[in-house]
Amino acid sequence: MTRTGIGYDSHRMVAGRRLVIGGVEIAHERGLAGHSDADVLAHAITDALLGAAGLGDIGEHFPPGEERWRDADSMELLELIVGIVAGGGLEIVNVDCTVVMEAPQIGPHRAAIRTRLEQTLGLPAGRVNIKATSGEGIGFVGRGEGVAALAVASVRDAAG
Ligand SMILES: [Zn+2]
C-alpha cells in the first residue's frame, strides 16, 4: 500500500536573515524569519512525510517555542523524521514540491537543492522533484513579504 501526505509552509522574508531553501543557502539581501533556520521547503517536506506516515505535524515533533530548536538546521530535523518513518517500517517512494517565491529565482539552485534533499531523504536520483513559481506580483509572495512551499510525499511498506 502506498500512502501520500501533503505539506505547506510559509515564512516572512526579512533583512538580516539567511535564505535557506531545501538545505541550500542562497545569496540574497533578505532571508526567512523563524525560530529555526526557517527553511520553508524542508518544513513543507517534513510535514508531507509526517502526513504520509500518519505521524501528525512538524509542530508536534519540534515545538516552535522550544529553546533547543532555536536556529535549528531544518535538514537535521527532516533527517530525524526520515529516521522515524523508516523505524516505522516505511520507505519513501518520492517527494514532489513547489517553492512559491518572487525573488531570487530558484532555477540556478534547483540541482543543488534536489541533490541535498535526495541525500537527506535517502533516495536515489530522480525521486525528488522541485518546481518553482512566482507570486505574479500579487499576494504576500508577490509583494516579497514571504515565501511559501508545498510538498507531497508518498511512502510504502518497506517490505513491499
Ligand atoms: Zn516553517
Side-chain angles (χ1 to χ4, degrees):
M1 186 178 71
T2 301
R3 289 183 263 171
T4 300
I6 89 168
Y8 171 82
D9 193 31
S10 61
H11 281 268
R12 282 187 302 120
M13 184 82 110
V14 298
R17 290 276 302 185
R18 298 183 304 144
L19 177 61
V20 182
I21 303 284
V24 173
E25 186 166 348
I26 298 174
H28 193 56
E29 68 269 20
R30 295 186 300 153
L32 298 179
H35 184 69
S36 65
D37 62 2
D39 186 335
V40 66
L41 180 57
H43 294 176
I45 291 172
T46 300
D47 257 354
L49 267 185
L50 288 169
L55 293 172
D57 68 25
I58 189 170
E60 293 174 48
H61 292 265
F62 309 111
E66 277 189 20
E67 194 55 34
R68 62 182 165 148
W69 308 125
R70 180 184 298 280
D71 296 324
D73 179 340
S74 295
M75 293 297 279
E76 289 181 8
L77 305 186
L78 175 57
E79 204 164 11
L80 288 173
I81 296 303
V82 169
I84 290 172
V85 169
L90 297 169
E91 65 178 23
I92 303 165
V93 178
N94 77 304
V95 169
D96 184 28
C97 51
T98 301
V99 178
V100 192
M101 182 163 69
E102 199 72 2
Q105 292 211 329
I106 206 93
H109 310 282
R110 191 195 305 252
I113 294 168
R114 184 177 188 172
T115 298
R116 184 78 207 280
L117 285 168
E118 283 167 347
Q119 287 169 349
T120 299
L121 294 165
L123 292 173
R127 301 273 205 96
V128 172
N129 190 63
I130 298 164
K131 307 184 299 299
T133 186
S134 78
E136 294 287 338
I138 55 172
F140 74 91
V141 170
R143 291 190 297 269
E145 294 168 2
V147 176
L150 305 95
V152 294
S154 291
V155 301
R156 66 183 169 208
D157 296 325

